[in-house]
Structure formats: C-alpha cells, structure tokens
Amino acid sequence: MGRERNRQQFALAIRDNKATIDIDGVIGQWEWDDENKTYTRISGKKIRRELDRLAAADVTHITVRINSLGGLVNDAIQIHDALKEHKARVTTLVTGLCASAATLIAMAGDERLMSPNALMLIHKC
C-alpha cells in the first residue's frame, strides 16, 4: 500500500509491515481545507477504522507523528484506546506542538518520543 492523504490534517503511509500516521490539526473538530476545498475532521472513529485496516494488513509497527493544539477529549480518548488495543508496537513522536487532548494520544505509545524542538502542554486538572 502507498500513501493516502486525507486533507491536510491526517495522512497514512504503509510500507512493508510498518505504518506512519500523521496527525496535524485539531482533534475532533471540523476544519476547512483550502487546498481540497472541503471540510475535514480527525475523529476517533476515523482513526479506529484506519487501525483496523492496518491490523488486517499485518502491520507490526505504527509510528504516530503528532502536531496538534488538542481538541475534543472524547475523540482523543478513543484514539488513545484504539492505539493501546492495537496488536502492533506503537511509537508516538511529537514533531511540533502537542497540547491538551493531543497529549492523551501521545501517551498511547509503547515508546514515546519528542523532537528536540517540540513542545508539550499538559493541563493541571
């Protein structure tokens, strides 16, 4: 399988038995994509569907690159749980800003990494 692009906020690339998921936008909210002239959304339901596809493709390692201001906590929890339940080894990599609800997704990794220039904001609850 090659690279699939779902607007600017979400991308999935599969090569051999490894997959990369890019999350670059607000979790769970509809946003206008000027490039494709349509609305798009990073939802828990969408990510779960993609993870089911990866399981069927016998993917053994998933890297999730995150650059997000956060968003809706219930979508972030659903994404977190779907990643934790997946049979593949998951690495989460913060590549820019990871704030608020996006930090829940970052915590789902078996291995959690941040680039040297990345920032993470965790709320004091």
Short mmCIF file of all heavy atoms in Angstrom, two decimals, residues 1-15 19-23 36 46 49-51 53-54 57 65:
data_model
loop_
_atom_site.label_atom_id
_atom_site.label_comp_id
_atom_site.label_asym_id
_atom_site.label_seq_id
_atom_site.Cartn_x
_atom_site.Cartn_y
_atom_site.Cartn_z
N MET A 1 0.83 -1.18 0.00
CA MET A 1 0.00 0.00 0.00
C MET A 1 0.88 1.24 0.00
O MET A 1 1.93 1.25 0.59
CB MET A 1 -0.88 0.02 1.24
CG MET A 1 -1.91 -1.05 1.29
SD MET A 1 -2.92 -0.83 2.78
CE MET A 1 -3.86 -2.31 2.67
N GLY A 2 0.40 2.26 -0.62
CA GLY A 2 1.16 3.50 -0.69
C GLY A 2 0.67 4.52 0.31
O GLY A 2 0.10 4.19 1.33
N ARG A 3 0.86 5.76 -0.01
CA ARG A 3 0.49 6.85 0.89
C ARG A 3 -0.92 7.34 0.54
O ARG A 3 -1.25 7.56 -0.60
CB ARG A 3 1.48 8.00 0.73
CG ARG A 3 1.20 9.13 1.70
CD ARG A 3 2.41 10.05 1.73
NE ARG A 3 2.18 11.12 2.64
CZ ARG A 3 2.42 11.07 3.94
NH1 ARG A 3 2.89 9.97 4.47
NH2 ARG A 3 2.22 12.11 4.71
N GLU A 4 -1.72 7.48 1.57
CA GLU A 4 -3.06 8.04 1.41
C GLU A 4 -3.10 9.36 2.15
O GLU A 4 -2.56 9.48 3.23
CB GLU A 4 -4.11 7.10 1.98
CG GLU A 4 -4.20 5.81 1.22
CD GLU A 4 -5.30 4.94 1.74
OE1 GLU A 4 -6.14 5.43 2.50
OE2 GLU A 4 -5.31 3.75 1.37
N ARG A 5 -3.75 10.32 1.58
CA ARG A 5 -3.83 11.63 2.19
C ARG A 5 -5.29 12.00 2.40
O ARG A 5 -6.08 11.96 1.48
CB ARG A 5 -3.18 12.67 1.26
CG ARG A 5 -3.08 14.03 1.85
CD ARG A 5 -1.88 14.13 2.75
NE ARG A 5 -1.83 15.49 3.24
CZ ARG A 5 -1.30 15.85 4.37
NH1 ARG A 5 -0.75 14.96 5.13
NH2 ARG A 5 -1.29 17.09 4.75
N ASN A 6 -5.65 12.28 3.61
CA ASN A 6 -6.99 12.74 3.93
C ASN A 6 -6.89 14.19 4.34
O ASN A 6 -6.69 14.51 5.49
CB ASN A 6 -7.60 11.90 5.05
CG ASN A 6 -9.02 12.29 5.32
OD1 ASN A 6 -9.56 13.16 4.65
ND2 ASN A 6 -9.62 11.66 6.29
N ARG A 7 -6.96 15.06 3.38
CA ARG A 7 -6.84 16.50 3.56
C ARG A 7 -5.46 16.82 4.15
O ARG A 7 -4.53 16.09 3.98
CB ARG A 7 -7.96 17.07 4.42
CG ARG A 7 -9.37 16.56 4.15
CD ARG A 7 -9.79 16.61 2.69
NE ARG A 7 -11.16 16.20 2.50
CZ ARG A 7 -11.55 14.96 2.26
NH1 ARG A 7 -10.69 13.99 2.23
NH2 ARG A 7 -12.81 14.70 2.05
N GLN A 8 -5.35 17.91 4.85
CA GLN A 8 -4.06 18.31 5.40
C GLN A 8 -3.82 17.79 6.81
O GLN A 8 -2.71 17.77 7.27
CB GLN A 8 -3.96 19.84 5.42
CG GLN A 8 -3.97 20.46 4.05
CD GLN A 8 -4.00 21.96 4.11
OE1 GLN A 8 -4.38 22.55 5.11
NE2 GLN A 8 -3.58 22.59 3.04
N GLN A 9 -4.87 17.37 7.50
CA GLN A 9 -4.75 17.05 8.92
C GLN A 9 -4.36 15.61 9.22
O GLN A 9 -3.89 15.33 10.30
CB GLN A 9 -6.08 17.33 9.62
CG GLN A 9 -6.48 18.75 9.56
CD GLN A 9 -7.79 18.95 10.30
OE1 GLN A 9 -8.66 18.09 10.28
NE2 GLN A 9 -7.92 20.06 10.96
N PHE A 10 -4.58 14.73 8.30
CA PHE A 10 -4.36 13.32 8.57
C PHE A 10 -3.72 12.66 7.36
O PHE A 10 -4.16 12.86 6.24
CB PHE A 10 -5.70 12.63 8.89
CG PHE A 10 -5.58 11.14 9.04
CD1 PHE A 10 -5.14 10.59 10.22
CD2 PHE A 10 -5.91 10.31 7.99
CE1 PHE A 10 -5.02 9.22 10.35
CE2 PHE A 10 -5.80 8.94 8.11
CZ PHE A 10 -5.36 8.39 9.30
N ALA A 11 -2.68 11.89 7.58
CA ALA A 11 -2.06 11.13 6.49
C ALA A 11 -1.67 9.76 7.02
O ALA A 11 -1.33 9.61 8.19
CB ALA A 11 -0.84 11.87 5.96
N LEU A 12 -1.72 8.78 6.14
CA LEU A 12 -1.35 7.42 6.49
C LEU A 12 -0.44 6.88 5.39
O LEU A 12 -0.79 6.95 4.22
CB LEU A 12 -2.61 6.55 6.60
CG LEU A 12 -2.40 5.04 6.73
CD1 LEU A 12 -1.69 4.70 8.03
CD2 LEU A 12 -3.72 4.31 6.63
N ALA A 13 0.72 6.37 5.80
CA ALA A 13 1.64 5.74 4.86
C ALA A 13 1.95 4.33 5.36
O ALA A 13 2.20 4.13 6.55
CB ALA A 13 2.92 6.55 4.74
N ILE A 14 1.91 3.37 4.44
CA ILE A 14 2.21 1.98 4.79
C ILE A 14 3.32 1.50 3.87
O ILE A 14 3.24 1.63 2.66
CB ILE A 14 0.97 1.08 4.63
CG1 ILE A 14 -0.19 1.60 5.46
CG2 ILE A 14 1.32 -0.36 5.01
CD1 ILE A 14 -1.50 0.91 5.17
N ARG A 15 4.34 0.93 4.48
CA ARG A 15 5.45 0.36 3.71
C ARG A 15 5.86 -0.94 4.39
O ARG A 15 6.22 -0.94 5.56
CB ARG A 15 6.62 1.33 3.66
CG ARG A 15 7.73 0.83 2.79
CD ARG A 15 8.80 1.86 2.64
NE ARG A 15 9.46 1.58 1.38
CZ ARG A 15 10.30 2.37 0.82
NH1 ARG A 15 10.59 3.52 1.37
NH2 ARG A 15 10.86 2.04 -0.31
N ALA A 19 3.77 1.25 9.44
CA ALA A 19 2.85 2.33 9.05
C ALA A 19 3.23 3.61 9.79
O ALA A 19 3.73 3.56 10.92
CB ALA A 19 1.41 1.96 9.37
N THR A 20 2.96 4.73 9.15
CA THR A 20 3.13 6.04 9.77
C THR A 20 1.82 6.79 9.65
O THR A 20 1.26 6.89 8.57
CB THR A 20 4.26 6.84 9.09
OG1 THR A 20 5.47 6.11 9.17
CG2 THR A 20 4.43 8.20 9.75
N ILE A 21 1.35 7.29 10.78
CA ILE A 21 0.15 8.11 10.82
C ILE A 21 0.57 9.52 11.22
O ILE A 21 1.26 9.69 12.23
CB ILE A 21 -0.87 7.56 11.83
CG1 ILE A 21 -1.35 6.17 11.42
CG2 ILE A 21 -2.04 8.53 12.00
CD1 ILE A 21 -2.22 5.49 12.45
N ASP A 22 0.18 10.50 10.43
CA ASP A 22 0.43 11.90 10.76
C ASP A 22 -0.87 12.53 11.24
O ASP A 22 -1.87 12.49 10.54
CB ASP A 22 0.93 12.68 9.54
CG ASP A 22 2.34 12.30 9.14
OD1 ASP A 22 3.19 12.19 10.04
OD2 ASP A 22 2.59 12.11 7.95
N ILE A 23 -0.84 13.10 12.43
CA ILE A 23 -1.96 13.86 12.98
C ILE A 23 -1.47 15.29 13.10
O ILE A 23 -0.59 15.59 13.89
CB ILE A 23 -2.42 13.32 14.34
CG1 ILE A 23 -2.96 11.89 14.17
CG2 ILE A 23 -3.46 14.24 14.96
CD1 ILE A 23 -3.33 11.22 15.47
N ASN A 36 -8.10 21.41 -0.67
CA ASN A 36 -9.06 20.47 -1.24
C ASN A 36 -10.48 21.00 -1.28
O ASN A 36 -11.39 20.30 -1.71
CB ASN A 36 -9.01 19.16 -0.46
CG ASN A 36 -7.69 18.47 -0.62
OD1 ASN A 36 -7.29 18.13 -1.73
ND2 ASN A 36 -6.97 18.30 0.47
N LYS A 46 -12.59 7.66 12.77
CA LYS A 46 -11.74 7.56 11.57
C LYS A 46 -10.43 6.83 11.89
O LYS A 46 -10.02 5.93 11.15
CB LYS A 46 -11.44 8.96 11.03
CG LYS A 46 -10.52 8.94 9.82
CD LYS A 46 -10.07 10.33 9.42
CE LYS A 46 -11.24 11.15 8.99
NZ LYS A 46 -10.88 12.45 8.42
N ARG A 49 -11.00 3.09 12.39
CA ARG A 49 -11.19 2.41 11.09
C ARG A 49 -9.84 2.16 10.42
O ARG A 49 -9.60 1.07 9.89
CB ARG A 49 -12.05 3.29 10.19
CG ARG A 49 -13.38 2.72 9.84
CD ARG A 49 -14.13 3.47 8.76
NE ARG A 49 -13.77 4.84 8.51
CZ ARG A 49 -14.43 5.90 8.96
NH1 ARG A 49 -15.49 5.75 9.72
NH2 ARG A 49 -14.04 7.11 8.67
N GLU A 50 -8.97 3.16 10.45
CA GLU A 50 -7.65 3.00 9.83
C GLU A 50 -6.81 1.97 10.57
O GLU A 50 -6.09 1.18 9.95
CB GLU A 50 -6.91 4.35 9.78
CG GLU A 50 -7.58 5.38 8.88
CD GLU A 50 -7.70 4.95 7.43
OE1 GLU A 50 -6.88 4.15 6.94
OE2 GLU A 50 -8.64 5.43 6.77
N LEU A 51 -6.90 1.94 11.89
CA LEU A 51 -6.15 0.95 12.66
C LEU A 51 -6.65 -0.47 12.39
O LEU A 51 -5.86 -1.41 12.35
CB LEU A 51 -6.21 1.28 14.15
CG LEU A 51 -5.42 2.52 14.57
CD1 LEU A 51 -5.70 2.85 16.03
CD2 LEU A 51 -3.94 2.35 14.32
N ARG A 53 -7.81 -1.43 9.53
CA ARG A 53 -7.20 -1.73 8.23
C ARG A 53 -5.74 -2.15 8.38
O ARG A 53 -5.27 -3.08 7.72
CB ARG A 53 -7.25 -0.50 7.33
CG ARG A 53 -8.30 -0.54 6.29
CD ARG A 53 -8.20 0.60 5.35
NE ARG A 53 -6.80 0.94 5.08
CZ ARG A 53 -6.42 1.92 4.30
NH1 ARG A 53 -7.30 2.67 3.71
NH2 ARG A 53 -5.16 2.18 4.09
N LEU A 54 -5.02 -1.48 9.27
CA LEU A 54 -3.61 -1.82 9.49
C LEU A 54 -3.47 -3.21 10.10
O LEU A 54 -2.55 -3.95 9.77
CB LEU A 54 -2.94 -0.78 10.38
CG LEU A 54 -2.83 0.63 9.81
CD1 LEU A 54 -2.16 1.56 10.80
CD2 LEU A 54 -2.11 0.64 8.47
N ALA A 57 -3.78 -5.71 7.46
CA ALA A 57 -2.60 -5.70 6.58
C ALA A 57 -1.36 -6.25 7.29
O ALA A 57 -0.26 -6.19 6.76
CB ALA A 57 -2.33 -4.28 6.08
N ARG A 65 2.96 10.42 14.28
CA ARG A 65 3.59 11.74 14.41
C ARG A 65 2.50 12.75 14.75
O ARG A 65 1.49 12.82 14.06
CB ARG A 65 4.32 12.13 13.13
CG ARG A 65 5.49 11.21 12.86
CD ARG A 65 6.33 11.69 11.71
NE ARG A 65 5.58 11.66 10.46
CZ ARG A 65 6.13 11.43 9.28
NH1 ARG A 65 7.43 11.21 9.18
NH2 ARG A 65 5.39 11.42 8.19
#
